[in-house]
Amino acid sequence: MAKRRSKLKKSKWLVNTVLAVICLVWSIPTIGLLVSSFRPAADILQSGWWNVLPHREWQTVEQLTLPKDTDLREPIDVNGQTYTDDQLRAGITVGDQRYIWENRRARLLNVQEKHWGAITNFTTQNYEAVLGGKEYKIALPDGGTKTEKGSGMGQSFWNTMAVTVPATIIPILIASFAAYAFAWLRFPGRRSIFVIIIALLVVPIQVALIPILKDYTSLGLNGTYAGIWLAHAAFGLPLITYFMYNAISQLPKDLFESAFMDGATNFTIFSRLILPLTVPALASISIFQFLWVWNDYLVSLIFLGSQPEVQVMSMKIANLVGSRGNDWHLLTAAAFISMLTPLAVFFALQKYFVRGLLGGSVKG
């Protein structure tokens, strides 16, 4: 008995350790994103986010000014030793010191030693630029420049909410009705229709984009919220229907028989019995659908467009990178702002999440 308890303790300790390592590995990118979002652009370009932790690094303790006539093409004398220009560019270590150029033109050389330190330069300028609008310099015909401030993420946030909330509620409501019908009602072609819906799970959404876009153009739905709601609802219905079918089909049959004997209609059974009993499943699939729509880029770009008045956050964040990818310090702040709403939704519904995923997995 004692050996068995010892083995159980060891196995429990091993499982907890593995889970802790997995959680840590998954959390590191998020931590790095958060730290980078508060670092100045210059620090992000020069060092990694982990340098905010205590570490040993080269720090300048002295500066040497070489003669102005020093020929960089010849061996350079530094404290009685000679080094090449390439060595001083990369940094040459001599004992506990390192020599590296500070300014080649001025013949200024840094003498560095390793000391414990941490980069603790933090700023909120990245968030101010993202929320308030990035500043752009525009060249004028007379050769001057004009600074204009672009729109912030406020409009894009509300555009994303206007797309995500209906595109989450509509397919879940339709799929729940359909799942109830497939699970407990008998009608001609029930199995065939259900198989067709499940088969749609393997169809890539990319194959339907062009045909739907042509239909939307002829119907005048392209670039409207109604069009994007219908598109997300159609793409999400197969999985949501299958997920809700698994949850609803596991409910006790006696429950429905008793309700029918008491004169309840199908709508009454669905609203008074199905919905309250499947709240965990509804919460779980709502999280998934909300995340998919919130982070969507392709479907919104095609059916909604990239105009500022309808632009969603995923497109706004992509535009913040800049034409040459030199503004990704803004991308870290924008990405973290974009993460806050899905995280809030997940934590609000987390108590239902595991229950919904495991619903119907064990009988009896």
Side-chain angles (χ1 to χ4, degrees), residues 309-329:
E309 59 271 14
V310 294
Q311 192 177 58
V312 296
M313 290 186 70
S314 57
M315 286 184 276
K316 186 70 175 180
I317 292 173
N319 292 338
L320 285 174
V321 180
S323 59
R324 293 177 296 175
N326 56 345
D327 291 329
W328 65 280
H329 60 285

Side-chain angles (χ1 to χ4, degrees), residues 218-275:
S218 61
L219 295 173
L221 290 174
N222 196 35
T224 65
Y225 284 122
I228 193 70
W229 294 341
L230 293 175
H232 278 300
F235 294 142
L237 273 174
L239 178 60
I240 300 174
T241 302
Y242 179 67
F243 188 92
M244 293 305 301
Y245 172 83
N246 289 334
I248 295 175
S249 63
Q250 300 299 322
L251 296 176
K253 184 178 181 181
D254 297 341
L255 192 65
F256 297 95
E257 292 178 349
S258 300
F260 277 122
M261 290 178 63
D262 290 338
T265 62
N266 285 317
F267 183 78
T268 302
I269 293 174
F270 179 81
S271 59
R272 299 292 181 88
L273 294 178
I274 300 296
L275 291 182

Side-chain angles (χ1 to χ4, degrees), residues 35-237:
V35 173
S36 297
S37 67
F38 286 101
R39 300 185 70 202
D43 288 354
I44 293 177
L45 295 175
Q46 293 176 1
S47 60
W49 65 268
W50 51 86
N51 286 309
V52 301
L53 302 174
H55 63 283
R56 285 177 61 85
E57 63 177 357
W58 292 107
Q59 296 182 4
T60 301
V61 296
E62 183 184 357
Q63 287 188 331
L64 301 177
T65 302
L66 303 182
K68 296 293 185 181
D69 59 352
T70 300
D71 189 352
L72 301 183
R73 294 171 295 181
E74 300 293 334
I76 303 169
D77 181 74
V78 180
N79 291 340
Q81 300 289 332
T82 57
Y83 309 102
T84 65
D85 179 43
D86 290 337
Q87 286 178 319
L88 294 178
R89 283 186 180 187
I92 181 71
T93 303
V94 181
D96 295 333
Q97 294 183 330
R98 183 175 76 161
Y99 300 114
I100 190 170
W101 283 120
E102 169 68 20
N103 190 324
R104 293 174 67 248
R105 185 181 297 274
R107 303 300 192 266
L108 188 62
L109 196 67
N110 284 338
V111 181
Q112 299 179 334
E113 294 180 357
K114 275 196 171 182
H115 295 282
W116 283 96
I119 300 176
T120 56
N121 298 327
F122 296 110
T123 180
T124 58
Q125 290 182 353
N126 296 339
Y127 285 93
E128 293 172 3
V130 169
L131 295 173
K134 174 187 170 185
E135 292 185 350
Y136 297 87
K137 289 186 178 180
I138 302 175
L140 299 177
D142 59 1
T145 59
K146 179 182 178 182
T147 301
E148 289 191 358
K149 203 168 189 179
S151 60
M153 294 192 69
Q155 181 64 42
S156 298
F157 175 83
W158 293 114
N159 291 340
T160 308
M161 290 294 293
V163 171
T164 305
V165 174
T168 300
I169 296 175
I170 293 173
I172 289 178
L173 184 62
I174 296 174
S176 299
F177 278 110
Y180 169 66
F182 287 127
W184 295 107
L185 300 184
R186 299 294 179 265
F187 55 90
R190 180 173 66 96
R191 288 183 177 274
S192 300
I193 298 174
F194 186 69
V195 169
I196 292 173
I197 292 176
I198 301 306
L200 291 174
L201 288 171
V202 302
V203 178
I205 65 172
Q206 290 81 358
V207 302
L209 296 180
I210 300 303
I212 295 177
L213 182 60
K214 290 182 178 179
D215 292 337
Y216 274 17
T217 303
S218 61
L219 295 173
L221 290 174
N222 196 35
T224 65
Y225 284 122
I228 193 70
W229 294 341
L230 293 175
H232 278 300
F235 294 142
L237 273 174

